[in-house]
Amino acid sequence: MLVSPEIPYITVFGFNIFYYGIILALAIFVGIVISNRIAIREYFLYGLVPNIATSVIIGGIIGARLYYCLLNCSMYISNPIEIFALREGGMSIHGAILGGVIVLLYQAKKHNVELLKLCDIFAMGMPVAQAIGRWGNFFNSEAFGLPTTLPWGLYIRPQYRPERFFNSEYFHPTFLYESVLDILLFVVLYKFVFNKYKDNSGCITAIYLILYSVIRILVEEIRVDCVKYVYGVPFPLVVSVILIIFASCFLVLKRIKD
């Protein structure tokens, strides 16, 4: 059985450092390292990723946080200062992708690099960053699934349990499921997709969006923490379906054009 730490932070010189923040920083660092390696080894773009990484990270974090806060607006409208409490968690990968792409659009023009190629470079680092980042949910006792009796169930303390499952103790560790699937996604992209599509800008990004959206749909089916629904359907699932349709249309149009 998995058990999250009772206290989600460590105290250093009187300052609380949340595990979520440490995990997020590690995830970003590893993702940037992978993207930089791809940019140099495959596209001979020396120094580009380090030069734009800070702005992309900031854009991704802002997008991830604002997206999450908008979906949970009832939680923040009465106490807006909590929007800035990043150390306590509350980020959305869909928002991070949107914020990152907006920044990449600007950086592509600034550095005279094709936008879709930049997206492909960063898409290669995303799955590993996401796999690491999901462990932040473990330390925050969040983003878990339905109750379970499986040996790898995650123990959730009473204060974090949904009201309808208050009497349940162990839940599906959906953060772990997605983390493992994200690693598999990276392997698929690196071993089977990249070499085939690295010179066809945008295809790697489209395939990443399709495969990650499938992962998100599978995991979303057993998560219990969604607060936004569209006609009874979890909003992240709706977004994932839209991304699959959009990315699939892009690939079809690319194939027709080529």
Side-chain angles (χ1 to χ4, degrees), residues 176-195:
L176 179 60
Y177 299 163
E178 185 171 329
S179 182
V180 172
L181 290 172
D182 285 339
I183 292 296
L184 291 177
L185 171 55
F186 172 74
V187 172
V188 170
L189 290 178
Y190 188 77
K191 290 292 186 180
F192 305 105
V193 175
F194 185 79
N195 286 333

Side-chain angles (χ1 to χ4, degrees), residues 103-242:
V103 174
L104 285 179
L105 177 61
Y106 166 76
Q107 293 291 356
K109 292 181 179 180
K110 180 179 178 181
H111 294 275
N112 195 28
V113 179
E114 187 180 1
L115 172 63
L116 292 179
K117 182 180 291 186
L118 267 184
C119 288
D120 287 346
I121 290 171
F122 279 89
M124 289 300 298
M126 282 293 290
V128 179
Q130 289 170 252
I132 296 172
R134 274 301 172 193
W135 282 86
N137 300 137
F138 166 72
F139 288 105
N140 271 11
S141 297
E142 61 186 7
F144 49 86
L146 293 166
T148 183
T149 57
L150 293 171
W152 54 83
L154 172 65
Y155 175 74
I156 297 297
R157 292 179 175 81
Q159 64 268 32
Y160 300 117
R161 298 172 195 166
E163 184 177 349
R164 68 185 188 277
F165 297 124
F166 185 79
N167 293 324
S168 300
E169 294 185 335
Y170 295 94
F171 297 77
H172 280 284
T174 48
F175 80 91
L176 179 60
Y177 299 163
E178 185 171 329
S179 182
V180 172
L181 290 172
D182 285 339
I183 292 296
L184 291 177
L185 171 55
F186 172 74
V187 172
V188 170
L189 290 178
Y190 188 77
K191 290 292 186 180
F192 305 105
V193 175
F194 185 79
N195 286 333
K196 184 176 181 180
Y197 293 104
K198 67 178 181 180
D199 296 321
N200 202 342
S201 298
C203 289
I204 295 171
T205 300
I207 294 171
Y208 156 75
L209 289 174
I210 292 172
L211 295 180
Y212 175 69
S213 294
V214 170
I215 291 173
R216 188 61 186 269
I217 289 171
L218 293 174
V219 174
E220 201 67 34
E221 285 296 315
I222 57 174
R223 279 181 60 169
V224 297
D225 61 340
C226 185
V227 297
K228 188 72 173 181
Y229 291 84
V230 178
Y231 295 106
V233 179
F235 190 73
L237 195 152
V238 174
V239 174
S240 295
V241 171
I242 292 173

